[in-house]
Amino acid sequence: MYECKIAEKLVELRTSKGVTQEDVARSLSISNKTISKWENGASTPDLPMVIELAKYYGVTTDTLLGLSEDKKQSTTEEIRSLFEGLDRRESVLKAFETTRALVPAMYKTVSKYCDDTYDKEDVYPIGMSHGYRSAISFHEFFEFTASSENVNLAVMMLKNKANFAWMNDPAKQKEILKLFKFLSKEDTLSVLYYIHSSNCSESFTAEYIAKNTGVKEERVIEILDEFCSVGACHWVTAHLIEGEVRVYECHGDGLVLSLISLAFERMCGRQSYDYNYSGICKMIGGK
């Protein structure tokens, strides 16, 4: 029964990992025949090899021997457990630490599918302060992180299936430029600043925004109407005794705020990096 459990478990773990007997044998520096004998129950691994097999499959030795079952957590549960008991500041720092761990972890898994010859295990330095600015570039991956008094930002971009073809599509260009044109005016940024501040209620009128920003009400109306067409803002008509009033509602637009923050970092932030893994970030074209 003991030998049968090991044999069944070895087949189950190898199948789940998506590897062949040859892959396992190569990783453990043993022959394919040995793996085959273990999996068909003809023989069993000795104690040192049981430990190596458990490490290879990422389970406990008890699980490998069929004495207990590892209950695998969902990704959400695993991440939530990382933040248990942390205060807000510790949680922010843990978020940056988790983001930094993604790159070497991901490339350890998929590096055999990548053409790059970079040693992706060494992309991130071992020691790194919590307040820093870094950029990491590959043909198929880009990440920018900034942690400072001005911005706490982490952006990750991977090469996409469309090969960014939409960037060269006139119709798509026209739509994209609407947002950049909207953000190109100084008074627009002033209005967006106030809307995203905790001082501004989620529902407001143009008159209210004008009083708190110093921007003329007529111009505020133009800005808010345009924001409704490109951002997370909408309006309804309130019927009051003194007449109809347009009431806007916005809970904040994280995408727009992220774009502005990135623009700030590019144009006004430090131009030096605490860490810069400067591979080539040409994600368009190629195989």
CSV table of all heavy atoms in Angstrom, one decimal, residues 102-125:
chain,number,residue,atom,x,y,z
A,102,LEU,N,7.8,39.4,-8.5
A,102,LEU,CA,7.1,38.8,-9.7
A,102,LEU,C,8.1,38.5,-10.8
A,102,LEU,O,7.9,37.4,-11.5
A,102,LEU,CB,6.0,39.8,-10.2
A,102,LEU,CG,4.8,39.8,-9.3
A,102,LEU,CD1,3.8,40.9,-9.9
A,102,LEU,CD2,4.1,38.5,-9.3
A,103,VAL,N,9.0,39.4,-11.2
A,103,VAL,CA,9.8,39.2,-12.4
A,103,VAL,C,10.7,38.0,-12.3
A,103,VAL,O,10.6,37.1,-13.1
A,103,VAL,CB,10.7,40.5,-12.6
A,103,VAL,CG1,11.5,40.3,-13.9
A,103,VAL,CG2,9.8,41.7,-12.8
A,104,PRO,N,11.5,37.9,-11.3
A,104,PRO,CA,12.4,36.6,-11.2
A,104,PRO,C,11.5,35.4,-11.1
A,104,PRO,O,11.9,34.3,-11.6
A,104,PRO,CB,13.2,36.9,-10.0
A,104,PRO,CG,12.6,37.9,-9.2
A,104,PRO,CD,11.9,38.8,-10.2
A,105,ALA,N,10.4,35.5,-10.3
A,105,ALA,CA,9.5,34.3,-10.2
A,105,ALA,C,8.9,33.9,-11.5
A,105,ALA,O,8.9,32.7,-11.9
A,105,ALA,CB,8.4,34.6,-9.2
A,106,MET,N,8.4,34.8,-12.3
A,106,MET,CA,7.8,34.6,-13.6
A,106,MET,C,8.8,34.0,-14.5
A,106,MET,O,8.6,33.0,-15.2
A,106,MET,CB,7.2,35.8,-14.1
A,106,MET,CG,6.5,35.6,-15.5
A,106,MET,SD,5.6,37.0,-16.0
A,106,MET,CE,7.0,38.0,-16.6
A,107,TYR,N,10.0,34.6,-14.6
A,107,TYR,CA,11.0,34.2,-15.6
A,107,TYR,C,11.6,32.9,-15.2
A,107,TYR,O,12.2,32.2,-16.1
A,107,TYR,CB,12.0,35.3,-15.9
A,107,TYR,CG,11.5,36.3,-16.8
A,107,TYR,CD1,11.3,37.6,-16.4
A,107,TYR,CD2,11.1,35.9,-18.1
A,107,TYR,CE1,10.7,38.5,-17.3
A,107,TYR,CE2,10.6,36.9,-19.0
A,107,TYR,CZ,10.4,38.2,-18.6
A,107,TYR,OH,9.9,39.1,-19.4
A,108,LYS,N,11.6,32.5,-14.0
A,108,LYS,CA,12.1,31.2,-13.6
A,108,LYS,C,11.2,30.1,-14.2
A,108,LYS,O,11.7,29.0,-14.6
A,108,LYS,CB,12.1,31.0,-12.1
A,108,LYS,CG,12.6,29.7,-11.6
A,108,LYS,CD,12.6,29.6,-10.1
A,108,LYS,CE,13.2,28.3,-9.6
A,108,LYS,NZ,13.2,28.2,-8.2
A,109,THR,N,9.9,30.4,-14.4
A,109,THR,CA,9.0,29.5,-14.9
A,109,THR,C,9.0,29.5,-16.5
A,109,THR,O,8.9,28.4,-17.1
A,109,THR,CB,7.6,29.8,-14.5
A,109,THR,OG1,7.6,29.8,-13.0
A,109,THR,CG2,6.6,28.8,-15.0
A,110,VAL,N,9.0,30.7,-17.1
A,110,VAL,CA,8.8,30.7,-18.5
A,110,VAL,C,10.1,31.0,-19.3
A,110,VAL,O,10.1,31.2,-20.5
A,110,VAL,CB,7.8,31.8,-18.9
A,110,VAL,CG1,6.5,31.6,-18.2
A,110,VAL,CG2,8.3,33.2,-18.6
A,111,SER,N,11.3,31.0,-18.7
A,111,SER,CA,12.5,31.4,-19.4
A,111,SER,C,12.8,30.5,-20.6
A,111,SER,O,13.4,30.9,-21.5
A,111,SER,CB,13.7,31.5,-18.4
A,111,SER,OG,13.8,30.2,-17.8
A,112,LYS,N,12.4,29.3,-20.5
A,112,LYS,CA,12.7,28.4,-21.6
A,112,LYS,C,11.9,28.8,-22.9
A,112,LYS,O,12.2,28.3,-24.0
A,112,LYS,CB,12.3,26.9,-21.2
A,112,LYS,CG,10.9,26.7,-20.9
A,112,LYS,CD,10.6,25.2,-20.5
A,112,LYS,CE,9.2,24.9,-20.2
A,112,LYS,NZ,9.0,23.5,-19.8
A,113,TYR,N,10.9,29.6,-22.7
A,113,TYR,CA,10.1,30.1,-23.9
A,113,TYR,C,10.6,31.4,-24.4
A,113,TYR,O,10.1,31.9,-25.4
A,113,TYR,CB,8.6,30.2,-23.6
A,113,TYR,CG,8.0,28.9,-23.1
A,113,TYR,CD1,7.6,28.8,-21.7
A,113,TYR,CD2,7.9,27.8,-23.9
A,113,TYR,CE1,7.1,27.6,-21.3
A,113,TYR,CE2,7.3,26.6,-23.4
A,113,TYR,CZ,6.9,26.6,-22.1
A,113,TYR,OH,6.4,25.4,-21.6
A,114,CYS,N,11.6,32.0,-23.7
A,114,CYS,CA,12.1,33.4,-24.1
A,114,CYS,C,13.4,33.3,-24.9
A,114,CYS,O,14.2,32.4,-24.7
A,114,CYS,CB,12.3,34.2,-22.9
A,114,CYS,SG,10.8,34.4,-21.9
A,115,ASP,N,13.5,34.2,-25.9
A,115,ASP,CA,14.7,34.2,-26.7
A,115,ASP,C,15.9,34.9,-26.1
A,115,ASP,O,17.0,34.7,-26.4
A,115,ASP,CB,14.4,34.8,-28.1
A,115,ASP,CG,13.4,34.0,-28.9
A,115,ASP,OD1,13.4,32.8,-28.7
A,115,ASP,OD2,12.6,34.6,-29.6
A,116,ASP,N,15.5,35.8,-25.1
A,116,ASP,CA,16.6,36.6,-24.4
A,116,ASP,C,17.6,35.7,-23.7
A,116,ASP,O,17.2,34.7,-23.1
A,116,ASP,CB,16.0,37.6,-23.5
A,116,ASP,CG,15.2,38.7,-24.2
A,116,ASP,OD1,15.5,38.9,-25.4
A,116,ASP,OD2,14.3,39.3,-23.6
A,117,THR,N,18.8,36.2,-23.6
A,117,THR,CA,19.8,35.4,-22.9
A,117,THR,C,20.1,36.0,-21.5
A,117,THR,O,21.0,35.7,-20.8
A,117,THR,CB,21.1,35.4,-23.7
A,117,THR,OG1,21.5,36.8,-24.0
A,117,THR,CG2,20.9,34.7,-25.0
A,118,TYR,N,19.3,37.0,-21.1
A,118,TYR,CA,19.5,37.6,-19.8
A,118,TYR,C,19.3,36.6,-18.6
A,118,TYR,O,18.5,35.7,-18.7
A,118,TYR,CB,18.5,38.7,-19.5
A,118,TYR,CG,18.4,39.8,-20.6
A,118,TYR,CD1,17.1,40.1,-21.2
A,118,TYR,CD2,19.5,40.4,-21.0
A,118,TYR,CE1,17.1,41.0,-22.2
A,118,TYR,CE2,19.4,41.4,-22.1
A,118,TYR,CZ,18.2,41.6,-22.6
A,118,TYR,OH,18.1,42.6,-23.6
A,119,ASP,N,20.1,36.8,-17.6
A,119,ASP,CA,19.9,36.0,-16.4
A,119,ASP,C,18.8,36.6,-15.6
A,119,ASP,O,19.0,37.5,-14.8
A,119,ASP,CB,21.2,35.9,-15.6
A,119,ASP,CG,21.0,35.0,-14.3
A,119,ASP,OD1,19.9,34.4,-14.2
A,119,ASP,OD2,22.0,34.9,-13.6
A,120,LYS,N,17.6,36.2,-15.8
A,120,LYS,CA,16.4,36.9,-15.2
A,120,LYS,C,16.3,36.6,-13.7
A,120,LYS,O,15.5,37.3,-13.0
A,120,LYS,CB,15.1,36.5,-16.0
A,120,LYS,CG,15.2,36.9,-17.4
A,120,LYS,CD,14.0,36.5,-18.2
A,120,LYS,CE,14.1,36.9,-19.6
A,120,LYS,NZ,15.0,36.2,-20.4
A,121,GLU,N,17.0,35.7,-13.2
A,121,GLU,CA,17.0,35.5,-11.7
A,121,GLU,C,17.7,36.7,-11.0
A,121,GLU,O,17.5,37.0,-9.9
A,121,GLU,CB,17.7,34.2,-11.4
A,121,GLU,CG,17.0,32.9,-11.8
A,121,GLU,CD,15.7,32.8,-11.1
A,121,GLU,OE1,15.7,32.8,-9.8
A,121,GLU,OE2,14.6,32.7,-11.7
A,122,ASP,N,18.6,37.4,-11.8
A,122,ASP,CA,19.4,38.5,-11.2
A,122,ASP,C,18.9,39.8,-11.6
A,122,ASP,O,19.6,40.8,-11.5
A,122,ASP,CB,20.8,38.3,-11.6
A,122,ASP,CG,21.4,37.0,-11.0
A,122,ASP,OD1,21.0,36.7,-9.9
A,122,ASP,OD2,22.3,36.4,-11.6
A,123,VAL,N,17.6,39.9,-12.1
A,123,VAL,CA,17.1,41.2,-12.6
A,123,VAL,C,17.0,42.2,-11.4
A,123,VAL,O,17.4,43.3,-11.6
A,123,VAL,CB,15.7,41.0,-13.2
A,123,VAL,CG1,15.1,42.3,-13.5
A,123,VAL,CG2,15.9,40.2,-14.6
A,124,TYR,N,16.5,41.7,-10.3
A,124,TYR,CA,16.4,42.6,-9.2
A,124,TYR,C,17.5,42.4,-8.2
A,124,TYR,O,17.9,41.3,-8.0
A,124,TYR,CB,15.1,42.3,-8.4
A,124,TYR,CG,13.8,42.9,-9.0
A,124,TYR,CD1,12.9,42.1,-9.6
A,124,TYR,CD2,13.6,44.3,-9.0
A,124,TYR,CE1,11.7,42.6,-10.1
A,124,TYR,CE2,12.5,44.8,-9.6
A,124,TYR,CZ,11.5,44.0,-10.1
A,124,TYR,OH,10.4,44.5,-10.7
A,125,PRO,N,18.1,43.5,-7.8
A,125,PRO,CA,19.2,43.3,-6.8
A,125,PRO,C,18.7,42.8,-5.5
A,125,PRO,O,17.5,42.9,-5.1
A,125,PRO,CB,19.7,44.7,-6.6
A,125,PRO,CG,18.6,45.6,-7.0
A,125,PRO,CD,17.8,44.9,-8.0
